[in-house]
Amino acid sequence: MTKRDGSASDHLRTQAAATPQDELVAGLSGAPESIRNPALLAQVLDRANLQRALKQVRQNKGAPGIDGMSVDALPEHLRHHWLEIRAQLEAGSYRPQPVRRVEIPKAGGKTRPLGIPTVLDRFIQQAIAQVVCAQWEPHFHPHSYGFRPQRSAHQAVREVQANIRAGYGWVVDMDLQAFFDRVNHDRLMARLKSRCPDADLLRLVNRFLKAGVSVGGKLEPTSMGVPQGGPLSPVLANVVLDELDWELARRGHRFARYADDCNILVKSKRAGERVMASVTRFVSDTLRLTVNPLKSAVDRPKNRKFLGFKVSRNGAKLKVADQAIDKLKDRLRELTRRTRGTSIGALVAELRETLLGWKAYFGIAEVLSPLREIDKWVRRKLRCYLWKQWGSSGYRQLRQRGISVREAWNTSKSAHGPWRLSKTPALSMALPLRFFENLGLPSLAPR
């Protein structure tokens, strides 16, 4: 952590008063002649690059690191300390702080480690990542889709789908075991140096790799890996796996990779088994990584998922994987718990945010029947929720909505529970599709 520097603070405050309101941090460049050669570190410390990095870090938000500083507090901290921080970066004396280790839940009750750097280190990492990305981006393989400008998971899925439709009916689905935790630092730094030959920048990147992690307040060293959670890690992951991409291309394979998820498409099971064996050796011997045999397989694409999608047996149409649907339903169950006591309007607003976010990613699915089933299931959950809220006024509520005396009476006096009753004709007619549409409930499947 840096000390407060009175003269630097005064200088930055003076500049802040003179800059436009939309400049988040004043004085992020310092004296332009402080670095006289066009080295990459100078590009990292360029004013425009730093302001872009700060904007990105603030947009990403995120939790505080081990120092407790929030993202919102970062601009003020930089106003007071930036000149001193910049001087440390230029002199090669800046020391990143250890990342805070937290465990993020995964499907099946497992967890994955996430490293949370301090917001100051996230800001510096972001500035570095932008420069490293600019150096490497023109040279990355076109079938690498993760964490790259104008590229997306959807494009990776479409690449796999196109190859399946072209007759490549078997997939070599490779899972790299604990990839982000096992990256070899020496190989990474040597490969990074090939396109970023700046000793000062490389030294700084290496310090971020070696900064260590804080687990329950105890500091642990990091001799390998690029901890997930920092802005620099995705770029470095692509630098490592770019070697795999070009090796697959050299061998003439059809493939798509998104971060450490890689699908190779072949025409037969026998070819797939040969490819799995040879690529596994390359990953182990050259990249010094491990292919997880329990999660990797040679199989028909309909039996494997890639980035949340599968392809259907007939026509190779995109279909949402069952695991993604189960995860969505778990979230919706949590939101529609009958004990929450939330008004139906507020509940639908929460559901709307979740459903629209899910649809923004999975909306490219071409097999729509599972999405229609979710739409029906959500409406049934809401009917169940309202019936429970109505309680003893259920008969009156049904009658007010045009349900006959007989239907309203039989439903309200039924011994069945709310979930069973939510499927009855009385509740379906009293709370039709139009009712939920008027509340703003979106549909996942187009009508």
Side-chain angles (χ1 to χ4, degrees):
M1 185 58 65
T2 56
K3 297 179 181 179
R4 189 180 180 114
D5 186 321
S7 62
S9 303
D10 294 340
H11 173 73
L12 285 167
R13 287 197 195 96
T14 302
Q15 285 199 3
T19 54
Q21 196 67 27
D22 61 347
E23 285 194 9
L24 298 175
V25 175
L28 276 183
S29 62
E33 54 274 6
S34 56
I35 298 180
R36 293 176 181 171
N37 58 66
L40 293 179
L41 184 60
Q43 295 179 32
V44 171
L45 299 177
D46 175 75
R47 181 187 186 89
N49 187 61
L50 292 169
Q51 290 183 328
R52 182 175 146 221
L54 180 58
K55 182 179 180 181
Q56 188 63 52
V57 168
R58 297 189 78 187
Q59 285 179 351
N60 291 345
K61 301 185 184 298
I66 62 171
D67 62 353
M69 186 192 300
S70 69
V71 172
D72 291 337
L74 179 59
E76 186 65 20
H77 178 81
L78 291 174
R79 286 190 180 95
H80 292 299
H81 299 288
W82 175 245
L83 290 184
E84 182 181 355
I85 295 167
R86 181 189 175 92
Q88 292 175 2
L89 289 166
E90 291 179 349
S93 60
Y94 182 82
R95 296 281 178 179
Q97 296 192 66
V99 301
R100 181 166 65 89
R101 170 74 59 82
V102 296
E103 297 292 332
I104 303 298
K106 289 177 62 177
K110 296 182 179 180
T111 63
R112 66 176 176 88
L114 185 72
I116 304 177
T118 66
V119 292
L120 174 59
D121 284 339
R122 293 210 292 271
F123 164 62
I124 297 171
Q125 280 194 36
Q126 180 65 38
I128 296 170
Q130 289 166 184
V131 171
V132 171
C133 184
Q135 296 296 310
W136 276 85
E137 180 59 31
H139 308 284
F140 283 142
H141 195 278
H143 292 170
S144 163
Y145 294 95
F147 313 116
R148 295 181 60 189
Q150 284 78 54
R151 287 176 175 265
S152 68
H154 288 172
Q155 292 172 330
V157 171
R158 293 291 194 194
E159 176 75 28
V160 168
Q161 181 187 30
N163 284 315
I164 294 168
R165 287 180 169 176
Y168 292 77
W170 290 83
V171 61
V172 180
D173 185 0
M174 298 190 64
D175 180 89
L176 298 179
Q177 189 167 343
F179 166 72
F180 283 90
D181 297 328
R182 297 189 177 186
V183 169
N184 182 279
H185 287 178
D186 292 339
R187 292 204 84 260
L188 167 58
M189 294 306 298
R191 187 154 180 83
L192 186 62
K193 184 179 180 180
S194 67
R195 300 200 185 279
C196 297
D198 182 321
D200 294 332
L201 178 62
L202 293 171
R203 184 186 305 112
L204 182 57
V205 170
N206 194 50
R207 283 185 177 169
F208 275 108
L209 293 174
K210 306 289 189 188
V213 296
S214 176
V215 183
K218 183 181 178 181
L219 182 62
E220 296 181 1
T222 46
S223 57
M224 64 172 62
V226 287
Q228 288 178 275
L232 189 55
S233 297
V235 182
L236 297 181
N238 275 338
V239 170
V240 171
L241 294 177
D242 180 65
E243 194 169 357
L244 173 62
D245 297 338
W246 288 105
E247 178 63 20
L248 294 177
R250 187 186 68 79
R251 298 181 184 189
H253 295 315
R254 298 194 177 208
F255 71 96
R257 181 180 66 79
Y258 189 96
D260 55 335
D261 287 331
C262 183
N263 272 194
I264 307 168
L265 287 306
V266 295
K267 288 190 173 181
S268 69
K269 183 178 182 180
R270 186 175 179 182
E273 289 170 345
R274 284 199 305 267
V275 170
M276 176 67 84
S278 64
V279 174
T280 297
R281 285 194 299 272
F282 175 81
V283 168
S284 175
D285 297 345
T286 303
L287 301 185
R288 300 184 194 175
L289 296 168
T290 304
V291 173
N292 187 340
L294 299 178
K295 293 185 178 181
S296 303
V298 177
D299 206 340
R300 292 289 191 181
K302 66 182 177 65
N303 298 326
R304 308 296 296 180
K305 69 180 178 71
F306 181 55
L307 303 177
F309 292 92
K310 291 184 176 183
V311 294
S312 64
R313 179 180 303 179
N314 299 320
K317 292 183 178 180
L318 292 182
K319 178 182 179 181
V320 180
D322 294 341
Q323 297 92 325
I325 290 176
D326 291 343
K327 188 174 180 181
L328 172 65
K329 292 179 81 169
D330 286 344
R331 174 59 179 156
L332 297 178
R333 285 190 189 96
E334 182 183 335
L335 290 174
T336 55
R337 288 196 320 272
R338 296 195 296 271
T339 56
R340 291 188 69 203
T342 306
S343 70
I344 188 65
L347 175 58
V348 168
E350 290 182 343
L351 289 173
R352 178 180 176 83
E353 183 178 354
T354 296
L355 290 170
L356 288 179
W358 195 88
K359 186 177 181 179
Y361 182 75
F362 289 103
I364 66 169
E366 297 160 330
V367 178
L368 300 180
S369 53
L371 306 187
R372 294 192 184 103
E373 289 302 313
I374 296 175
D375 286 337
K376 293 177 185 176
W377 183 82
V378 170
R379 292 194 293 271
R380 188 178 174 190
K381 292 288 287 184
L382 290 174
R383 291 184 185 111
C384 179
Y385 186 89
L386 274 173
W387 181 252
K388 186 72 174 179
Q389 279 200 337
W390 288 346
S392 59
S393 68
Y395 173 81
R396 186 171 68 253
Q397 293 285 352
L398 291 175
R399 290 289 293 130
Q400 288 174 356
R401 288 165 169 78
I403 305 304
S404 68
V405 171
R406 179 185 178 86
E407 285 285 352
W409 180 262
N410 288 340
T411 304
S412 61
K413 298 304 178 182
S414 172
H416 294 305
W419 181 243
R420 177 82 173 267
L421 293 175
S422 65
K423 205 175 182 180
T424 58
L427 274 170
S428 296
M429 289 186 290
L431 300 170
L433 171 62
R434 183 176 62 257
F435 171 80
F436 296 112
E437 286 180 334
N438 291 339
L439 286 173
L441 183 70
S443 294
L444 297 178
R447 296 197 182 102

